[in-house]
């Protein structure tokens, strides 16, 4: 991925030099960068890796997914807090993940901890089992499991 980006920068600089203008302009550089994106997209299968902008779009998708899950879980927590009588049953459950590698596991645990209503308490030494505390085990466990599945898919798109 970094090699493709650096090659794209090289194509943009080469475009600026071949344009032969009086001064280097940012618009010329950006035109060369866009042309480089097109060239790299047409040739990305020869690099043996996926196109580098695909990961960027997957990262943006993960960011929007996190914001959406944050809004949904915040609404749920606000409803529970603002109710006249708290009828919650907090609890701990385990979740076996399909992710591997420190980056993927850490990203998932951070995203879950930042989402209101759930906290990752511990991760097994093997890194495949999460111990998660949910604010309301009966109501929010299904929501937490749904968001974990969504996060896992998005993290795999970014890292693999």
């Amino acid at each position: 991925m970094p090699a493709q980006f650096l090659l794209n920068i090289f194509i943009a600089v080469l475009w600026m030099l071949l344009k032969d203008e009086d001064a280097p302009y940012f618009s010329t550089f950006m035109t060369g960068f866009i042309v480089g994106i097109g060239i790299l997209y047409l040739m990305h299968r020869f690099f043996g890796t996926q196109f580098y902008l695909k990961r960027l779009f997957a990262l943006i998708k993960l960011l929007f997914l996190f914001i959406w899950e944050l809004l949904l879980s915040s609404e749920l927590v606000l409803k529970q807090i603002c109710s006249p009588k708290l009828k919650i049953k907090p609890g701990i459950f385990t979740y076996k993940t399909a992710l591997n590698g420190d980056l993927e596991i850490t990203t998932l645990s951070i995203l879950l901890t930042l989402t209101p209503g759930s906290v990752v308490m511990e991760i097994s030494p093997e890194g495949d089992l999460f111990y998660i505390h949910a604010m309301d085990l009966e109501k929010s466990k299904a929501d937490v499991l749904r968001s974990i599945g969504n996060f896992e898919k998005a993290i795999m798109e970014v890292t693999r």
Side-chain angles (χ1 to χ4, degrees):
M1 183 170 132
Q4 289 182 23
F5 178 71
L6 290 175
L7 187 58
N8 199 2
I9 296 290
F10 177 74
I11 290 171
V13 170
L14 189 63
W15 181 273
M16 269 183 26
L17 292 174
L18 292 175
K19 196 71 168 157
D20 196 28
E21 295 177 334
D22 297 337
Y25 295 110
F26 183 72
S27 61
T28 308
F29 177 80
M30 287 307 295
T31 304
F33 193 79
I34 292 170
V35 168
I37 287 173
I39 292 170
L40 289 176
Y41 180 73
L42 293 174
M43 300 186 68
H44 78 277
R45 63 180 178 191
F46 299 114
F47 296 122
T49 59
Q50 67 181 4
F51 184 53
Y52 80 100
L53 285 181
K54 187 175 181 182
R55 279 200 182 166
L56 179 66
F57 291 136
L59 185 65
I60 292 169
K61 179 183 167 187
L62 177 63
L63 178 67
F64 282 121
L65 176 67
F66 170 67
I67 291 170
W68 178 252
E69 292 293 335
L70 181 68
L71 291 172
L72 288 178
S73 61
S74 296
E75 178 188 4
L76 179 70
V77 170
L78 277 172
K79 283 180 184 177
Q80 291 174 345
I81 290 173
C82 293
S83 67
K85 194 171 186 182
L86 282 178
K87 298 175 187 172
I88 61 172
K89 293 185 180 175
I92 299 170
F93 66 96
T94 59
Y95 179 76
K96 188 162 179 71
T97 183
L99 299 176
N100 51 16
D102 292 339
L103 177 66
E104 293 178 348
I105 292 169
T106 304
T107 304
L108 180 61
S109 64
I110 287 171
L111 291 175
L112 286 175
T113 301
L114 288 175
T115 306
S118 63
V119 176
V120 176
M121 295 175 44
E122 189 174 346
I123 302 171
S124 68
E126 295 82 25
D128 63 343
L129 193 64
F130 286 95
Y131 296 94
I132 302 170
H133 180 273
M135 190 171 98
D136 190 6
L137 197 58
E138 293 176 355
K139 293 181 183 174
S140 65
K141 182 178 178 182
D143 292 334
V144 171
L145 289 174
R146 179 190 46 78
S147 65
I148 289 173
N150 292 339
F151 284 147
E152 277 186 337
K153 288 177 195 170
I155 290 170
M156 283 185 206
E157 286 179 14
V158 172
T159 59
R160 295 181 187 178

